Amino acid sequence: MKKIVLTGAAGKLGEELRGMLAGMADELLSTDIEPLGSEALENETYVQADLAEMDQIKPLMEGADMVVHFGAIVDERPFEEMLGPNFVGSYNVWQSAKLHGVKRVIYASSIHIAGMYKKTNPIPVDLPHRPDTWYGLAKCFTEDLGRMYWDKEGIESVHIRIYSCTSKPGNARALGSWLSFDDLRQLVQKSITTPVVGFSVLYGISNNDRAPVDNSGALHIGYKPTSNAEDFAEEVFANEPPADPQDGAQMCHGGPFATIELGVSPMGQMVIPGKDD
Ligand SMILES: NC(=O)c1ccc[n+]([C@@H]2O[C@H](COP(=O)([O-])OP(=O)(O)OC[C@H]3O[C@@H](n4cnc5c(N)ncnc54)[C@H](O)[C@@H]3O)[C@@H](O)[C@H]2O)c1
């Protein structure tokens, strides 16, 4: 492969992917609105760009085979703040991919496309969207955008609905929802190397005993997760305060995103391990 474009390259997950992606193509073009957290690799070029600006995004796609689109505001904010990076940004990525003949987009979708469903029902990939926030709605928009560009323009895409990707599971919810960094890399690698993906949706989740989703959508790319959050269960329960069974955040796939007011960040309520790793 000649060239891969990575958006969100300065982000937590982008940093986990850069080395692997650089090894998969002659050139890795890494882009973000923020500077990279570490030196560019030998065959990596960094370009600072705002996803919301088509004239900054379009030139990056020239000569690219595939785009790994991970850039976004990763939190709940008022709609007006999400619109540029998370909605228009997705349009800019797909439309400029089309203009430059890019074959495939790998997209970091999220469980928040279905955050309002109860966790007692394992959710398949083809359930109607039920977003919990503007953040989740932008992911729904982008999944539909990807489907439309496949149906109308023949651009393939893989939408990885990441649940919680951290260095280790940090709370009881994550014993079901965790995606390890190794399994993230495997998902992205197989999304790139599988010869035909068409329009694919799958869950970004490890091989957790308590996984609350049906991830059969990931079988056709040969995803075989190697991590299991259960290995951390004893440690997690030892530190977990008693849960309130009436708390909607405990019961819904979206966790605190399901109960927070629209436009308000729930991040303060969340324990995110590895934030400072
Ligand atoms: N980490 C998780 O558990 C998780 C769960 C579900 C989905 N995701 C998705 O995975 C992707 C990466 O998440 P992350 O955890 O690395 O988050 P992150 O916030 O660390 O990374 C996102 C990156 O996007 C960049 N960005 C924001 N606005 C931009 C703009 N206007 N133009 C260009 N770049 C911009 C940020 O600077 C940041 O570097 C996101 O799309 C996120 O929605 C992550």
Side-chain angles (χ1 to χ4, degrees):
M1 205 176 311
K2 283 204 178 81
K3 176 175 167 184
I4 296 175
V5 176
L6 170 65
T7 74
K12 186 161 54 84
L13 304 192
E15 292 285 351
E16 295 295 328
L17 293 173
R18 284 171 51 210
M20 181 192 80
L21 293 174
M24 294 181 78
D26 296 342
E27 181 193 354
L28 173 65
L29 190 151
S30 289
T31 181
D32 203 292
I33 202 164
E34 300 289 345
L36 293 181
S38 56
E39 290 271 299
L41 302 160
E42 205 180 309
N43 62 337
E44 182 183 32
T45 311
Y46 166 71
V47 180
Q48 192 159 27
D50 183 349
L51 282 163
E53 301 298 330
M54 180 59 123
D55 60 346
Q56 295 180 27
I57 298 305
K58 191 169 132 197
L60 310 181
M61 305 296 168
E62 191 174 353
D65 301 283
M66 295 198 190
V67 183
V68 178
H69 179 31
F70 271 55
I73 290 178
V74 186
D75 196 358
E76 174 64 350
R77 306 256 182 88
F79 176 75
E80 293 74 12
E81 287 180 41
M82 308 298 282
L83 181 62
N86 292 25
F87 289 83
V88 177
S90 290
Y91 167 75
N92 288 343
V93 166
W94 259 267
Q95 180 63 8
S96 52
K98 178 197 148 180
L99 295 173
H100 284 293
V102 175
K103 175 183 159 63
R104 187 178 298 174
V105 182
I106 317 301
Y107 178 57
S109 189
S110 163
I111 190 61
H112 297 292
I113 54 96
M116 297 309 294
Y117 283 107
K118 292 275 183 286
K119 270 165 71 173
T120 37
N121 299 330
I123 47 175
V125 288
D126 52 359
L127 207 65
H129 290 156
R130 201 170 163 192
D132 49 25
T133 43
W134 298 119
Y135 171 74
L137 187 70
K139 298 295 186 190
C140 298
F141 167 78
T142 305
E143 287 193 0
D144 280 353
L145 185 88
R147 172 165 247 156
M148 190 180 74
Y149 271 93
W150 165 241
D151 287 338
K152 303 289 285 248
E153 306 288 352
I155 297 178
E156 292 188 301
S157 51
V158 181
H159 300 255
I160 304 171
R161 292 177 178 169
I162 301 171
Y163 219 135
S164 320
C165 190
T166 53
S167 53
K168 61 179 194 170
N171 52 37
R173 176 175 181 264
L175 294 178
S177 67
W178 186 51
L179 174 66
S180 70
F181 293 143
D182 281 347
D183 287 340
L184 169 73
R185 279 186 284 269
Q186 186 194 148
L187 273 169
V188 173
Q189 189 214 16
K190 288 185 168 163
S191 297
I192 290 171
T193 55
T194 299
V196 174
V197 296
F199 168 78
S200 292
V201 176
L202 42 93
Y203 287 103
I205 193 164
S206 283
N207 185 30
N208 306 328
D209 290 1
R210 302 171 202 238
V213 296
D214 166 4
N215 207 10
S216 45
L219 289 174
H220 76 290
I221 67 160
Y223 174 54
K224 289 202 176 124
T226 58
S227 308
N228 187 337
E230 207 58 24
D231 296 342
F232 300 86
E234 214 173 299
E235 183 189 327
V236 166
F237 285 129
N239 298 317
E240 186 85 352
D244 173 3
Q246 301 303 326
D247 178 4
Q250 297 283 341
M251 287 304 299
C252 291
H253 282 275
F257 279 64
T259 48
I260 200 83
E261 207 179 310
L262 285 175
V264 174
S265 169
M267 290 298 190
Q269 302 175 18
M270 299 171 80
V271 180
I272 306 175
K275 219 176 359 187
D276 305 318
D277 288 358

